[in-house]
Amino acid sequence: MAKTRAGWDWLRGPEPWTRRMLAGDLALAAVLAILGLGIEELDRGSGQRMLLGAVAVVALTLLRRRLPAATLVAGSALSSALPGLFFVLPLLGWSAGRRIVGVGRALGAFTLAFVAALAFSVLDQWSQMRPLLIIVFSTLMFLAVTVMPGLASRYWSQRRTLLAALHERNGQLLRERAMVAGQARLRERQRIAQDMHDSLGHQLALIAVHTGALEVDPELTDRQREAVGVLRQASVSAMHELREVVGILRDGVESPPMVEEAQPAARGVAGIAGVVEAARAAGTEVRMTTSGRPRQLVAACDHAAYRIVQEALTNAYKHAPGAPITVELRYEDDSLVVEIANGPSAGPDEDVVSGGQGLTGLRERARLVGGMVHAGPAEGGGFRVAGVLPYGAEPAGAQDVADDFGQQAQAQKGTLPQAPGRRGEQQPMDWAAVDRELAVRVPSRAGGIAVGCGIAFAAVVVLVIVMIAAAVMLMDTAVDSMIGRDEYDAVHVGEAEATVRDRLPGGESFLTAGADRKGPPRPEGSECLVLLADDQTGQSLTTDLVFRFCFKDGKLVDKQAYEVKQ
């Protein structure tokens, strides 16, 4: 069993050979064997030669994948003795042109196959044809039947390899371009993080210090001291959030909270109650309601809900100070609805500073998690912000952020391509050069068809040349093997052999091969010359009129005229 499997693996060679491919090869071998039997029948081959030719066709077809050069040489050499191999030669040439590695090896294999085919053809037909015609005919046939399929196969295989290499190179360039762009984004994020840390961090620290000192001032009333405590707690929470945002921008991970400072409030649905309580402590009338069965949200949606409530409360503080606020959380079947509404107010404070980006940011945040945010005037006055967030949607940009972090890690390990320059200095990327690399045009389908048509046209031209050469050779040999009735009658039994042969053609032609044995019995010990009649009038399409002259002891001892089946 092990030997059988080893033999099967050797027969398959380096290419994967599935059952479908094996069935296809067997079917192809059967078709070629049937066509070869037809040629053997036309050549009047024996049954043994037909069987041997069919076996050879099947063996060469199955072995061509594993031994492309050997099968090409063997098929070319055996084709002269086994005419049934004619139709398998193009297949062997195609397989050899595609599978032989290296131009030198392929040229050597085709040259050896040509020499073998030419040598065996000359040996097989030496007695019936002129050697020069044999060489010309065999050369043209080899070019048309074997070389042309090999060239076409090699071109097709190399074109596919080139296309695969181009696609792989373009993919690599695209990946490198994405990595460089990711590095640029990370550098910009680090710069922004540094600016936020240096500017906002300093200001918030000053606020925390001054409010802390003000909180212990003995001249303040309890109400004032409570308000200052709320301010100090808000500044500390803002410093925590700023530190986490800076950490995410810089390293892609949240910064650990400092031990000496208070822990920041949870930023999710669970933290909304804290935000509402802080607003109440600041003197704002806020009412919060929850309906439905609470459900767990993914982290991105949970955080988005918190930010919607936080931003909506901030807008209410700015634009409707003193107006009552309602916060409602509704757990629907497929989504969480967060609604914040405030009543009408006399108008915003004159010193309100607004960047105009809060609601736009909320809409984008909700869009990234598959939800939506609506903001606008409420019925009866006031303003209303409502957000709809699905329970299980992941942020659309999560993969991009993960890719950025992965690229940053690769850059820190030194695996990303770096532009030449000093250590630690990022060189500007030549995007024009990258675009030129990406713009490499692969050969079009029309170009491939044109080349294929050119190869096919060349093969047709060679075949036409072969047919013309074969016709000329046939006419030449026919002229050298025909005489008229008058010439036959002018020769008499008893004349000298030399005199008769000087008056008659040589008769070396495949057209008369074996015809001397198909007529009346020859005189014993005689040597016969068979010629065709140049006038076949009255003969059927399947018979020929031949003239036989038999010589013995230097004289013409017998002459016969009879019909022979083709």
Side-chain angles (χ1 to χ4, degrees):
M1 184 66 179
K3 292 183 178 180
T4 303
R5 181 173 294 277
W8 173 254
D9 293 338
W10 177 88
L11 181 62
R12 290 190 304 176
E15 298 182 16
W17 203 9
T18 62
R19 294 182 178 180
R20 180 178 297 181
M21 295 176 62
L22 176 60
D25 284 350
L26 291 175
L28 180 61
V31 172
L32 295 177
I34 293 174
L35 295 176
L37 291 177
I39 294 181
E40 292 285 358
E41 181 65 25
L42 293 176
D43 195 56
R44 300 186 180 91
S46 62
Q48 183 179 2
R49 196 177 76 175
M50 290 182 180
L51 178 60
L52 182 60
V55 173
V57 167
V58 175
L60 292 174
T61 302
L62 295 179
L63 291 175
R64 78 184 193 281
R65 299 180 184 272
R66 187 64 177 86
L67 302 172
T71 52
L72 175 65
V73 175
S76 301
L78 294 176
S79 60
S80 58
L82 299 175
L85 299 182
F86 175 80
F87 288 106
V88 82
L89 292 179
L91 178 63
L92 298 179
W94 177 275
S95 181
R98 175 185 175 186
R99 292 181 172 84
I100 297 179
V101 180
V103 178
R105 294 182 179 180
L107 182 61
F110 276 87
T111 301
L112 184 60
F114 169 69
V115 172
L118 188 62
F120 281 95
S121 297
V122 170
L123 290 177
D124 185 60
Q125 302 291 337
W126 182 268
S127 60
Q128 300 184 17
M129 300 177 65
R130 297 177 182 178
L132 181 60
L133 292 176
I134 297 175
I135 295 174
V136 172
F137 183 77
S138 299
T139 301
L140 293 176
M141 287 295 295
F142 186 81
L143 290 175
V145 176
T146 307
V147 175
M148 283 298 176
L151 291 176
S153 172
R154 197 164 192 85
Y155 164 78
W156 178 77
S157 178
Q158 290 180 350
R159 184 174 182 272
R160 289 190 61 185
T161 303
L162 176 61
L163 288 177
L166 286 175
H167 285 303
E168 182 179 357
R169 177 174 175 79
N170 287 350
Q172 179 65 24
L173 288 174
L174 288 173
R175 289 190 294 272
E176 291 180 2
R177 182 171 184 170
M179 291 178 182
V180 174
Q183 284 184 313
R185 289 196 299 269
L186 289 176
R187 288 194 302 273
E188 184 64 18
R189 288 165 61 176
Q190 289 176 353
R191 185 188 65 79
I192 296 173
Q194 188 65 38
D195 291 343
M196 293 175 62
H197 179 272
D198 294 342
S199 59
L200 296 179
H202 176 70
Q203 299 297 332
L204 290 174
L206 288 177
I207 294 174
V209 170
H210 285 293
T211 53
L214 186 62
E215 188 177 9
V216 297
D217 191 341
E219 296 182 0
L220 296 180
T221 64
D222 293 339
R223 176 65 177 170
Q224 292 172 337
R225 192 173 287 110
E226 182 181 355
V228 172
V230 172
L231 293 177
R232 187 187 65 81
Q233 182 63 34
S235 63
V236 171
S237 299
M239 290 180 63
H240 278 289
E241 294 191 9
L242 177 62
R243 183 179 296 109
E244 292 179 0
V245 172
V246 169
I248 293 175
L249 285 174
R250 178 178 295 165
D251 303 324
V253 296
E254 294 187 0
S255 299
M258 298 183 66
V259 177
E260 65 271 18
E261 296 183 358
Q263 295 291 334
R267 293 199 307 275
V269 174
I272 293 179
V275 175
V276 171
E277 187 62 31
R280 290 172 181 167
T284 304
E285 181 183 351
V286 183
R287 182 171 60 90
M288 179 177 173
T289 60
T290 302
S291 61
R293 183 175 61 86
R295 296 179 58 178
Q296 185 69 28
L297 281 77
V298 295
C301 295
D302 198 34
H303 188 69
Y306 176 85
R307 288 303 186 194
I308 290 174
V309 173
Q310 186 183 50
E311 181 65 23
L313 290 176
T314 301
N315 289 339
Y317 301 155
K318 292 179 181 179
H319 302 286
I325 303 173
T326 301
V327 178
E328 183 179 2
L329 302 179
R330 296 198 304 271
Y331 289 92
E332 305 288 350
D333 293 337
D334 56 353
S335 61
L336 170 65
V337 178
V338 181
E339 185 174 348
I340 304 93
N342 59 271
S345 175
D349 292 345
E350 296 180 356
D351 297 332
V352 168
V353 178
S354 176
Q357 301 296 325
L359 292 178
T360 302
L362 289 183
R363 292 189 180 96
E364 180 64 16
R365 185 185 295 273
R367 186 191 66 82
L368 290 177
V369 298
M372 60 180 295
V373 168
H374 170 76
E379 295 182 2
F383 199 79
R384 173 177 171 270
V385 177
V388 180
L389 302 172
Y391 291 119
E394 289 291 346
Q399 186 60 41
D400 295 337
V401 174
D403 292 342
D404 289 346
F405 295 159
Q407 291 165 6
Q408 181 189 31
Q410 293 181 7
Q412 294 173 353
K413 294 179 182 179
T415 57
L416 285 178
Q418 299 292 336
R422 293 177 296 177
R423 182 179 300 273
E425 178 182 353
Q426 179 66 33
Q427 298 294 328
M429 187 65 185
D430 186 4
W431 292 116
V434 175
D435 289 335
R436 287 194 297 270
E437 291 285 351
L438 295 177
V440 174
R441 294 184 61 84
V442 298
S444 63
R445 183 180 298 272
I449 294 176
V451 174
C453 292
I455 295 176
F457 178 75
V460 171
V461 171
V462 173
L463 284 175
V464 170
I465 294 175
V466 170
M467 295 176 63
I468 295 175
V472 172
M473 183 173 55
L474 181 62
M475 292 177 61
D476 185 71
T477 56
V479 170
D480 195 42
S481 62
M482 290 185 177
I483 61 173
R485 170 65 73 173
D486 296 337
E487 294 178 272
Y488 173 76
D489 293 337
V491 177
H492 302 285
V493 176
E495 294 187 32
E497 179 179 358
T499 302
V500 175
R501 287 189 179 274
D502 290 340
R503 294 162 55 185
L504 298 177
E508 296 179 357
S509 174
F510 68 93
L511 298 175
T512 58
D516 59 331
R517 299 187 299 272
K518 297 180 180 180
R522 298 183 301 174
E524 185 176 356
S526 62
E527 182 180 353
C528 300
L529 170 64
V530 179
L531 301 173
L532 292 174
D534 58 6
D535 184 10
Q536 296 290 339
T537 304
Q539 307 299 322
S540 65
L541 295 177
T542 59
T543 59
D544 291 325
L545 177 61
V546 300
F547 301 129
R548 187 182 68 183
F549 303 90
C550 296
F551 304 95
K552 184 178 180 181
D553 298 333
K555 294 183 179 181
L556 179 64
V557 297
D558 182 59
K559 72 171 187 175
Q560 297 288 339
Y562 53 88
E563 294 181 354
V564 175
K565 290 186 177 181
Q566 298 178 357

